[in-house]
Amino acid sequence: MQIGWCTLNCRFNQEEGVGDTPDSYAYDGNRVRKWNVTTTNYGKSWAAGDIVSCLIDLDEGTIAFCLNGISLGTAFDNITRGAGMAYFPAISLSFKESVAFNFGSRPLRYPLGVGRGDLKGEEPVLRPSLEAVEYTYLTKDTSMWQLQGEPTVLITLAHIFNYFSPLMCKVYLVEDVLMTFLLSILERGGAVEAHPLIQQLLDLMWLLMEEYEVHECLKQLLMSLLRAYRFSPIIPDLGLQIHYLRLTIAVLKHEKSRKYLLSNVLFDVLRSVVFFYIKSPLRVEEAGLQELIPTTWWPNRFTKEGKESKEVKEESAEERLRRRAYERGCQRLKKRIEVVEGLQVQILKLLLNNKDRGGGEASRYIFLNKFRKFLQENASNRGNLTVLCPPEYMVCFLHRLIAALRFFWDGHKAKTPAALSSEEAYVPPQLFYNGKVDYFDLQRLGGLLSHLKKTLKDDLAAKANVLIDPAELQAVTMDDLDEDEESATSAAQRPSTALAIGGALARPGWLSSPTLGRANRFLSTAAVSLMNPRRPLGTLEKIKVRTLSVEQRTEEDIEGSHGNEGLLLGRPPEEPDQPITENSLLEILDGIVMMYNLSVHQQLGKMVGVSDDVNEYAMALKDTEEKISRCPKRRRDIHEELLKSQKVFSEKLNHLSRRLAWINVTIYSKEKMQDVYWLLRVCIRTIEHGDRTGSLFAFMPEFYLSVAMNSYSALKNYFSPVNSMEELPVFQTLQTEVRGSVGDECVFPAVCFDN
C-alpha cells in the first residue's frame, strides 16, 4: 500500500502506482519507505488499524506524514508547483488491502493544521466553527428532566430540540460534540447505572425529535463508537477501549434505543462483533507491554533438531526468577483484559434480555433472528473474504457469547429447579428436524434435508408425531435426484455378501462416508432403524410442520405457548420429558456450535504459530550461545558476528514473548480452555441424545461431529504448554477412550461422563 498525493497528469496502471511517477509522492509503511520515482527509507512500520495523516504545504512545497498523530518528519520538499498544478489524495492498493478515508466529514482523530505554511499548526483547516452548536447544560435537579416534570421545562426543551435536532443527524457533530459530551458524563467515575443523565437524554430525544432524526442520530453515534473502539491505540490500562464500551452499554441500556439499534444497525449497517474483539498489538512497545511485562521468559522444550524434549530439566535459580516475574506480568495483563471482557459480556447481556418493560418483541428475539442471519451469511460465503466476519473476531465473540449464555441459563435454573444447569447443557434432537431452526442447506449426517424429508417422513410421523408439509416434499432439487440415482446404482452393484445376517439390508452408504470420520460408533442405532420396514402411523394427532425462515418466526415459534412447544416441537419418545432451559437459549447454543465450526477452530490453530516462532528463535539463540562458547578467541571477526546474531535473536524473543503473553491471555487462557471443553461436552451430549432417536439421528447437522472432534484436538494440541487438558477439574474424573484412527492419527474421542 502506497498513500500520498498526485496531480492530474499522473497515469497509473497495474505496474505503476502512487509514487512511481514524477508528480506523485507516497509513503509505504509496510516497506517503511517513501516513493517519488526513486525510493529511500522513511517513517515507521504501520499495522492494521493505524491512522496515517497525509499533509501537504503548497506555500513551502513540502509533504509530510504522521502515524497515529506522531510526525514522521518531512518526506518531500521542493515539490512541483505553479499555475495549473493541483494535488489530489491518492493511494495504490494490493489485493485484499483496504483503507477508510476521512476527508473531513468526520472529526479528524489527530487534527493537524495544513495549508498555512506550517505543518505543525494546532487547528485543522477542515474543522468547522462549532460555536453555534456548543451546548450549555444547567446544573439542576435531575428530577426536572423527567418526562413528568414541569411543563415549562418540557416546553423549553422542545424549542431547544427543534433547533438542534437537524444538527444532531450530522456525522461530524455527533462524533465531535454529542459523543464527547456523553463520554464526559461517564468520566466522573462509578458504574454506568450511576449516571442516569444519559438515559434521560435519550428519553427526551425520542419524545422531542422526529423519529427519523432519532434513528439517524443513534446510527451515527453507534458507528462513531465502533470506529473509536476499533481504531484506538492499545495502551497499558486499555482505558480508551473501556471508555467507549461503557458508553455503548449506557446507550444500549435504554430499551427503545436498544431495540432500534438491534433491528436496524448492529447487524445490518455495521458488524457489531467488533465490540467483542480485543485486537492484538503488533508493536509491543506502543501497547506498553514493556512496562507491564518488564521481564521476558520462554520455555526451552525443544532439542536442536526441533523435537520436543522428553527429559524434564531442572530449572536454574535464575530461570525460575525470570519465569515467575514473567508470570506476574502476565497476570497483571490478564486482570486488565478481564475488565474489557467483562464489559463486552455486559453488552451481550443487554442484547439477550427477554424481560423488556416496553411493548413489542423482546431484545433477545430480535438478537436471535439477526444472529441467525449473521451465521447464514458466514456459512454461505465461506469463500468470499469481504463478506466473512474475520476469524479473530469470531473467537472473541464466541467466548463472550458463551459467558452471557451460561449466565442466563443458570439464572433460569435458579428459578426452575427442575431444569438443567449449564454444566449439563445439550441441544435436543427435535431442533434438527421440526423446521423451527433454519440450517440453510448445511449438510446433515444423512445427506441433504430435502432428501431426508422424503426418505424418513414415515419415521418422523411415527416417532416424533410430525408430518412434513406436502408442498416441501414436492420441491425436488437436482441434488436429490443425483443422490437417489447414486444410492440406486450403489445398491445394484452391492454384492450379495454385503447383506447382513437375517436378511436385513447392509448399512447404507451415508453411514460410512469419509466426512463422518470415525464417528460410526454413534450411528449404529440409526443403521438398523433406517433399514427396518416403515412403521405404521401412530394414533396420536400428527402435527404438520414446515421449515420457517428467520424472517417468518415469531416469539411463539421459539418459546411456544398454550400447548405449543415451540423449538421443542416433535419430541421423540427417547428424549426425557424434562425442562432443559428457555428455548431461545437452546438456539443460541446451537449457533455457538456452528460458530466454532465456521472459523474459530481454524483461528485457534493459526495463533499457535506465534508459539512456534518463539520455539524456533529460542533454539536459534541457544545454538548461537553454544557457538559463542566454542568460538576460538583468535577469531574475533566470527565472535562479533555471533554476538550480533545473539542480540537479534534476543530482541526478537523479547518481542515475541510479550506478544505471546497477550495471545495466551486473550485466546489460550485457562478460562478460554474451559469454554472449549464445555463446548466439547455439549456436542457429545447432543450426539448421545441424537443417537438414541434411531433413524432421526440422520437429521443432525454434520458440524456437530466436526466440532466434537476439532474441540478435542484443540484442547490436546493448542492450549499446551500454557494450560494442559489434564488440569481441567472435570476431566480428572472422566474415563477417556479414544476410538478409531486413520493411520496413526487419533480422530475422535469417546468420553464417558460420570454425572
Side-chain angles (χ1 to χ4, degrees):
M1 182 187 299
Q2 295 173 204
I3 185 169
W5 302 88
C6 73
T7 66
L8 287 177
N9 297 326
C10 297
R11 294 293 180 266
F12 302 128
N13 52 47
Q14 291 185 346
E15 301 298 328
E16 293 185 340
V18 183
D20 298 326
T21 58
D23 291 330
S24 65
Y25 305 85
Y27 159 51
D28 184 342
N30 187 35
R31 289 175 283 188
V32 197
R33 304 182 73 84
K34 61 180 180 180
W35 301 76
N36 176 232
V37 181
T38 60
T39 177
T40 56
N41 294 332
Y42 173 79
K44 298 170 61 178
S45 174
W46 62 33
D50 285 344
I51 296 176
V52 180
S53 304
C54 305
L55 301 89
I56 185 169
D57 189 330
L58 293 176
D59 293 329
E60 297 292 327
T62 58
I63 290 176
F65 298 91
C66 298
L67 186 64
N68 295 326
I70 300 174
S71 175
L72 301 178
T74 300
F76 305 99
D77 53 19
N78 296 321
I79 63 174
T80 306
R81 290 170 291 167
M85 293 291 295
Y87 283 89
F88 300 87
I91 189 170
S92 300
L93 298 170
S94 298
F95 182 61
K96 294 184 181 179
E97 289 183 334
S98 62
V99 65
F101 288 101
N102 180 9
F103 295 116
S105 62
R106 305 189 309 273
L108 299 177
R109 185 64 53 82
Y110 304 104
L112 296 166
V114 296
R116 297 168 306 191
D118 177 20
L119 291 176
K120 300 180 181 178
E122 296 296 330
E123 292 293 324
V125 168
L126 294 172
R127 183 179 177 87
S129 175
L130 297 178
E131 289 78 4
V133 293
E134 290 287 342
Y135 289 95
T136 302
Y137 293 93
L138 303 177
T139 55
K140 286 193 174 185
D141 184 6
T142 55
S143 62
M144 302 289 286
W145 291 77
Q146 300 294 335
L147 297 186
Q148 64 271 24
E150 294 183 2
T152 305
V153 175
L154 290 177
I155 292 173
T156 304
L157 288 171
H159 283 286
I160 294 174
F161 273 90
N162 184 58
Y163 178 78
F164 285 117
S165 292
L167 298 176
M168 293 174 71
C169 298
K170 304 295 183 183
V171 180
Y172 196 105
L173 299 180
V174 168
E175 187 168 327
D176 199 48
V177 180
L178 179 60
M179 188 174 78
T180 303
F181 167 69
L182 296 177
L183 288 169
S184 68
I185 296 175
L186 296 176
E187 284 178 352
R188 302 166 191 171
V192 175
E193 294 81 0
H195 304 286
L197 183 57
I198 294 177
Q199 304 296 307
Q200 294 158 359
L201 179 60
L202 291 170
D203 281 336
L204 289 171
M205 288 171 60
W206 283 99
L207 178 69
L208 302 174
M209 293 173 64
E210 295 291 341
E211 193 169 273
Y212 73 90
E213 293 174 332
V214 183
H215 291 173
E216 185 63 22
C217 181
L218 287 174
K219 172 185 170 182
Q220 298 302 338
L221 178 60
L222 255 290
M223 294 183 71
S224 298
L225 279 171
L226 182 135
R227 283 192 296 267
Y229 176 80
R230 182 181 180 185
F231 296 116
S232 292
I234 299 292
I235 57 178
D237 63 353
L238 299 172
L240 296 174
Q241 285 75 15
I242 291 172
H243 209 36
Y244 296 125
L245 287 175
R246 278 167 53 83
L247 180 53
T248 304
I249 291 172
V251 172
L252 293 177
K253 275 185 173 293
H254 190 266
E255 182 179 324
K256 194 170 183 179
S257 301
R258 177 174 69 248
K259 288 184 177 180
Y260 165 73
L261 292 169
L262 253 179
S263 300
N264 301 281
V265 178
L266 284 177
F267 282 95
D268 297 276
V269 178
L270 51 87
R271 299 298 185 188
S272 60
V273 293
V274 174
F275 281 119
F276 309 109
Y277 174 56
I278 303 177
K279 65 180 179 181
S280 176
L282 297 180
R283 294 183 293 271
V284 297
E285 63 277 3
E286 294 184 14
L289 292 182
Q290 288 178 329
E291 293 77 20
L292 206 59
I293 309 175
T295 304
T296 58
W297 172 84
W298 48 87
N300 293 311
R301 302 182 296 109
F302 291 84
T303 63
K304 294 180 181 179
E305 294 76 22
K307 297 181 180 179
E308 189 168 359
S309 177
K310 297 181 179 179
E311 299 180 6
V312 180
K313 296 182 180 180
E314 186 176 352
E315 279 185 322
S316 65
E318 182 182 356
E319 287 179 341
R320 190 180 304 109
L321 288 174
R322 283 184 57 202
R323 177 176 57 80
R324 290 177 177 175
Y326 178 74
E327 289 173 349
R328 286 194 297 269
C330 292
Q331 284 299 316
R332 289 191 292 268
L333 175 63
K334 182 178 180 181
K335 289 180 180 179
R336 298 182 181 188
I337 287 180
E338 283 177 345
V339 175
V340 177
E341 292 177 344
L343 293 172
Q344 292 171 332
V345 173
Q346 282 189 46
I347 292 177
L348 274 173
K349 288 178 181 178
L350 290 170
L351 300 183
L352 295 180
N353 181 31
N354 66 339
K355 305 296 181 185
D356 294 335
R357 297 177 182 177
E361 192 175 15
S363 300
R364 178 183 296 179
Y365 304 106
I366 302 174
F367 172 86
L368 202 56
N369 290 337
K370 296 294 182 180
F371 178 50
R372 207 71 194 176
K373 290 185 68 176
F374 167 79
L375 293 174
Q376 182 176 8
E377 289 175 2
N378 283 271
S380 305
N381 295 281
R382 298 188 73 171
N384 189 350
L385 298 178
T386 60
V387 177
L388 289 178
C389 175
E392 58 270 25
Y393 291 19
M394 280 281 208
V395 173
C396 295
F397 187 32
L398 177 126
H399 288 296
R400 310 302 176 267
L401 195 53
I402 287 177
L405 172 71
R406 298 191 68 175
F407 170 81
F408 285 105
W409 194 300
D410 290 329
H412 179 75
K413 166 68 176 175
K415 297 176 183 177
T416 312
L420 299 180
S421 69
S422 63
E423 286 294 332
E424 306 166 293
Y426 72 96
V427 179
Q430 53 266 47
L431 263 70
F432 307 137
Y433 56 73
N434 64 17
K436 298 292 185 179
V437 178
D438 187 3
Y439 289 98
F440 21 87
D441 297 329
L442 290 178
Q443 188 77 5
R444 309 299 182 99
L445 293 180
L448 294 174
L449 179 62
S450 53
H451 171 75
L452 293 175
K453 284 180 178 179
K454 293 182 296 182
T455 308
L456 300 178
K457 62 180 183 297
D458 293 344
D459 295 68
L460 283 172
K463 298 194 66 173
N465 238 21
V466 167
L467 293 178
I468 302 297
D469 191 334
E472 293 192 0
L473 293 178
Q474 294 174 2
V476 180
T477 64
M478 293 304 296
D479 291 331
D480 297 326
L481 294 174
D482 293 342
E483 189 169 345
D484 290 341
E485 291 174 2
E486 182 181 349
S487 300
T489 304
S490 60
Q493 296 175 350
R494 187 182 298 118
S496 58
T497 54
L499 294 177
I501 298 176
L505 290 176
R507 178 186 303 239
W510 67 267
L511 287 174
S512 57
S513 65
T515 56
L516 296 181
R518 310 306 301 171
N520 289 339
R521 167 182 174 269
F522 294 103
L523 307 179
S524 56
T525 306
V528 177
S529 301
L530 274 172
M531 295 299 102
N532 283 341
R534 301 295 182 199
R535 280 169 277 191
L537 296 179
T539 57
L540 296 175
E541 182 182 355
K542 302 296 183 288
I543 305 169
K544 183 182 293 186
V545 299
R546 60 186 177 89
T547 303
L548 295 176
S549 64
V550 171
E551 295 81 3
Q552 293 174 313
R553 296 191 313 169
T554 64
E555 180 178 339
E556 184 176 339
D557 290 318
I558 298 171
E559 298 292 359
S561 64
H562 307 297
N564 174 14
E565 296 183 277
L567 293 184
L568 300 181
L569 181 72
R571 180 175 61 86
E574 297 85 1
E575 185 67 12
D577 187 10
Q578 176 190 9
I580 303 174
T581 187
E582 297 172 273
N583 291 357
S584 51
L585 298 181
L586 292 174
E587 184 172 342
I588 295 173
L589 176 58
D590 176 78
I592 289 174
V593 177
M594 190 186 300
M595 278 177 60
Y596 187 93
N597 182 66
L598 288 175
S599 58
V600 171
H601 181 74
Q602 177 186 2
Q603 182 67 12
L604 290 178
K606 179 181 178 182
M607 298 309 294
V608 174
V610 179
S611 179
D612 294 338
D613 290 342
V614 170
N615 294 328
E616 289 179 7
Y617 277 101
M619 287 188 294
L621 178 62
K622 184 178 179 181
D623 182 59
T624 303
E625 290 173 344
E626 290 178 357
K627 290 179 180 178
I628 291 174
S629 65
R630 298 195 308 267
C631 181
K633 294 183 179 180
R634 64 179 183 275
R635 298 304 305 269
R636 296 183 62 182
D637 55 338
I638 297 177
H639 190 264
E640 290 177 359
E641 290 299 321
L642 289 172
L643 288 177
K644 290 180 182 178
S645 299
Q646 182 188 32
K647 182 180 178 181
V648 170
F649 292 144
S650 296
E651 290 176 351
K652 189 66 176 179
L653 275 169
N654 288 332
H655 170 84
L656 286 174
S657 64
R658 292 187 176 101
R659 187 171 175 224
L660 186 61
W662 184 283
I663 293 172
N664 286 340
V665 169
T666 56
I667 298 179
Y668 297 121
S669 68
K670 187 173 183 179
E671 292 75 16
K672 309 299 185 298
M673 180 177 68
Q674 289 172 342
D675 283 347
V676 175
Y677 182 60
W678 178 79
L679 201 58
L680 166 63
R681 291 186 290 155
V682 165
C683 289
I684 291 179
R685 289 195 193 94
T686 301
I687 292 169
E688 289 175 342
H689 280 262
D691 183 35
R692 297 170 191 159
T693 64
S695 59
L696 300 186
F697 188 30
F699 284 93
M700 178 177 287
E702 195 174 277
F703 64 77
Y704 272 85
L705 289 178
S706 299
V707 172
M709 292 183 281
N710 289 334
S711 57
Y712 177 82
S713 174
L715 290 168
K716 185 178 180 182
N717 301 313
Y718 297 162
F719 286 85
S720 64
V722 180
N723 293 289
S724 175
M725 190 174 180
E726 285 72 19
E727 295 176 1
L728 291 165
V730 183
F731 188 85
Q732 296 172 356
T733 65
L734 300 179
Q735 298 175 345
T736 306
E737 179 185 2
V738 180
R739 301 178 186 268
S741 62
V742 176
D744 295 326
E745 181 182 359
C746 165
V747 180
F748 188 79
V751 183
C752 303
F753 292 91
D754 298 328
N755 290 327

